[in-house]
Amino acid sequence: MGTGVLFGTGAAVWVAAALAPPLSAGVFAAAATAVAALGLGVGRPVLVALGVVVLAACVASRAEGRHVPLDAGTLSACGDLVAEARPARGGWRSEVDLAEPRARVELRAFGGEGARVAGLRAGDRVCGSGPVRPVAASGWSRSRHVVGRWTLQEVSTAPGEGAARRAVEAVRARVLAGGDALAERHRPLYHGLVLGEDRFQPPEQRARFRAAGLTHLLAVSGQNVAFVLAATRPLVRLVPRRGRLLMVAGLLAAFAMATRFEPSVLRAVSMAAIGAWSAHTGRQVDGVRVLAVAVIALIFADPFLVHAIGFQLSAAASAGIVVLAPVIERRLPVPPWAGEPIAVTVAAQLAVLPLQLAWFGPVSFVAVPANVAAGPAAGAVMLWGVVVGPVAGVLPGSVGWFVQLPATGLVAWIDAVARVAADAPLPRWSGADWAMAAAAAVVLWAVRAAVVRLVLIAAMAAVVAMSWPTGAAAVGVVDLDGGGRLHYAEDGSATVLVVDADATDALLDAVLAQRVGDVDLVVSEVGSGPGGAVARSVAALVRPDVLLAPSDHRLVGATRWRAPVELHTAGGALHVDERGGRLVVVAQTRG
């Protein structure tokens, strides 16, 4: 099958899996039999491709039919933890594969039960009871195979079984321990770069990486897999040639287990496995074919992967790299040593741009230069963490600190790039803006007349200039997405930011998009809970002179409200009072 047909087959399989309706077992068996008889039995590539697509649709339909939400009620059951629990609005959340009923549920635990769940590792056994309610079918629930939400009220636990799992967990623990030598604010970045472990990344840091277009660096990708294989190559060469492929497969499986079988990991590991097989057999396979075969195989194994955002972004970035990067590199007026990383970065960013716009909204111009600046350093941290991290994790404190100095400097650089890029006054374009720019670029590429090209270039420059942030602040008050209000002073500078009681992390993105900078005062309506946590994160972004919270607050670094406060802004006076344990901000506009 030709490369073009294979790539098209992969795209068609993806669409078929995404759109397939549920089918009964009988229809599935009949369709699969018909495909095997009429499609796969014929040697013509197009018919084979058609048969593969139809069969993929049948597999996806069968999976859709089995994805049935659980009934509401009380559940007493045991299951295996899919991944380590994450902090979630006053408690902890994870996912559990139940033994009976055979289903995956989202686990929520609070208080003492939450603390016990927080200390568990993937694969550990969890038993308990509590209310369960169904989860509506959605892209997220399908991608995670979740059919219910289980709130644990009684918990008992047991460590996971299996020698292979214990060995993998021991190595993972040593790699993560290698980050202990870094500053506290940099450890989550190190863990994310090396193993994709970003559970404890502060929300404000996460928001900066989103604004800078650098979030993907903290998700395991093909680069991580390549570094693992490169680091273990000397060991692989010690094995007789017949056993090398098996050893590589074992390493890839162990890495997938250590990184919790995330969708982007599965894509990267599958491509690496196909590449290792082709090298072992002496067959030359180009990147497009490897990507297409990997995607098709993974969709057959788990059709719901097409709904996972991580899998979508990973596959799109890989397609951009294998298809667009060589074309871009040939046209860059830079030395070869600089052309390849720039071309790879630009190609990946262009490929994922439509998905970023669809899932996350407007995208800033800063993403490409930020990735060019941070990408090489991220690759170096990945390699250093794989090779040196396990050693640093068992060395004494001062020795481990010295050994990790290169990683410390590189992680600090990546963090600094994210900070600068998130605050950079560059345009943020919506999907329509980027579509028009792409159309203009295509026309510019196609036309030959110099005058027409100059006119197009001038028009594009004018559009960019008009969308460029002027730096002039709004006057008065601005309502921010996520639950906040920004009040400006007479001189146009931000002076007061009020964080609502029901604020969400979306407020962090809104603050960065508004390019607020430093403010004089952040007022948190509540002193604890999710809203209070958001207020602390906002304060970390805008660095206020004072973070004001209710008199009984539990926010580290906040100032307790003692008496009514009156502030003057461009829109009028603000009165801050406390009622029922909450701060109430009343604006008196000028009349």
Side-chain angles (χ1 to χ4, degrees):
M1 188 180 293
T3 299
V5 175
L6 187 59
F7 190 82
T9 302
V13 164
W14 188 300
V15 174
L19 302 180
L23 292 177
S24 65
V27 174
F28 171 77
T33 303
V35 167
L38 301 178
L40 299 181
V42 181
R44 296 179 181 178
V46 175
L47 287 178
V48 173
L50 179 61
V52 171
V53 173
V54 173
L55 189 58
C58 293
V59 173
S61 296
R62 184 60 175 154
E64 188 71 34
R66 292 176 174 174
H67 187 73
V68 180
L70 292 178
D71 294 330
T74 300
L75 178 66
S76 296
C78 294
D80 297 327
L81 208 65
V82 174
E84 283 76 10
R86 292 174 173 270
R89 302 186 72 83
W92 296 83
R93 63 164 297 274
S94 185
E95 291 155 18
V96 175
D97 284 330
L98 299 177
E100 185 60 39
R102 294 188 62 83
R104 177 175 294 182
V105 296
E106 182 187 38
L107 178 151
R108 294 289 180 99
F110 302 89
E113 287 77 12
R116 297 184 67 180
V117 170
L120 300 178
R121 298 182 300 185
D124 285 350
R125 193 75 168 173
V126 177
C127 295
S129 63
V132 64
R133 58 188 178 89
V135 172
S138 64
W140 175 83
S141 68
R142 290 182 177 91
S143 69
R144 303 303 300 179
H145 297 270
V146 169
V147 294
R149 182 167 290 119
W150 189 27
T151 302
L152 281 180
Q153 296 176 342
E154 297 178 6
V155 181
S156 62
T157 64
E161 299 179 355
R165 177 176 291 278
R166 287 196 294 270
V168 169
E169 294 303 323
V171 174
R172 173 186 166 87
R174 295 276 63 80
V175 173
L176 294 177
D180 292 346
L182 279 69
E184 185 176 356
R185 70 179 185 277
H186 290 153
R187 287 174 200 162
L189 296 182
Y190 177 86
H191 294 160
L193 289 164
V194 179
L195 283 179
E197 172 60 274
D198 63 347
R199 289 184 300 148
F200 300 110
Q201 187 183 12
E204 63 273 14
Q205 190 180 70
R206 197 186 302 272
R208 286 196 188 98
F209 272 67
R210 280 197 300 268
L214 298 175
T215 301
H216 67 94
L217 294 180
L218 304 181
V220 179
S221 65
Q223 194 174 25
N224 298 72
V225 176
F227 286 143
V228 168
L229 293 179
T232 56
R233 186 173 298 168
L235 295 177
V236 173
R237 287 180 175 175
L238 296 176
V239 178
R241 190 176 185 279
R242 291 183 178 180
R244 290 178 185 175
L245 187 61
L246 185 60
M247 184 174 182
V248 169
L251 289 170
L252 292 175
F255 184 77
M257 182 184 295
T259 51
R260 306 318 186 211
F261 299 101
E262 286 297 315
S264 59
V265 176
L266 296 177
R267 193 277 311 162
V269 166
S270 298
M271 290 187 66
I274 296 171
W277 175 83
S278 64
H280 182 77
T281 57
R283 300 182 180 182
Q284 295 295 325
V285 183
D286 62 83
V288 176
R289 296 177 68 86
V290 171
L291 174 61
V293 172
V295 167
I296 292 171
L298 287 171
I299 291 176
F300 269 95
D302 181 5
F304 284 166
L305 278 174
V306 299
H307 300 290
I309 298 176
F311 189 68
Q312 295 173 12
L313 294 172
S314 179
S318 299
I321 291 171
V322 299
V323 175
L324 298 178
V327 179
I328 296 174
E329 185 178 1
R330 288 195 296 268
R331 287 167 172 75
L332 287 176
V334 296
W337 60 268
E340 182 178 357
I342 294 176
V344 168
T345 299
V346 172
Q349 289 295 308
L350 289 175
V352 302
L353 181 60
L355 292 172
Q356 288 180 317
L357 291 167
W359 289 114
F360 309 117
V363 175
S364 172
F365 280 22
V366 79
V368 171
N371 275 274
V372 171
V381 173
M382 294 174 195
L383 181 57
W384 190 267
V386 170
V387 177
V388 180
V391 178
V394 297
L395 294 174
S398 58
V399 180
W401 173 84
F402 179 78
V403 169
Q404 286 287 57
L405 277 179
T408 299
L410 291 168
V411 172
W413 165 256
I414 295 169
D415 190 29
V417 170
R419 287 173 177 270
V420 172
D423 294 334
L426 295 176
R428 293 172 59 88
W429 277 9
S430 65
D433 298 324
W434 286 105
M436 288 188 292
V442 170
V443 174
L444 185 64
W445 187 284
V447 298
R448 293 292 183 265
V451 175
V452 177
R453 284 194 168 192
L454 288 175
V455 171
L456 284 172
I457 292 173
M460 292 174 67
V463 170
V464 172
M466 286 188 292
S467 65
W468 207 280
T470 62
V475 175
V477 59
V478 175
D479 290 326
L480 301 176
D481 292 338
R485 296 177 303 285
L486 185 62
H487 297 266
Y488 285 90
E490 291 284 359
D491 62 359
S493 63
T495 182
V496 180
L497 201 163
V498 181
V499 180
D500 295 344
D502 58 353
T504 66
D505 284 346
L507 179 60
L508 305 178
D509 299 318
V511 168
L512 289 173
Q514 191 70 19
R515 296 180 177 84
V516 173
D518 296 347
V519 303
D520 297 327
L521 173 67
V522 170
V523 178
S524 177
E525 290 188 350
V526 293
S528 60
V534 172
R536 281 193 60 197
S537 297
V538 167
L541 283 179
V542 301
R543 299 175 293 276
D545 294 333
V546 176
L547 168 59
L548 186 63
S551 56
D552 61 348
H553 79 82
R554 289 180 288 175
L555 305 182
V556 177
T559 299
R560 298 184 186 278
W561 179 91
R562 298 296 185 188
V565 178
E566 182 171 316
L567 305 164
H568 296 282
T569 68
L574 290 181
H575 300 274
V576 184
D577 205 345
E578 186 176 61
R579 299 174 190 169
R582 290 189 176 187
L583 295 186
V584 178
V585 182
V586 179
Q588 182 178 352
T589 58
R590 294 177 178 175

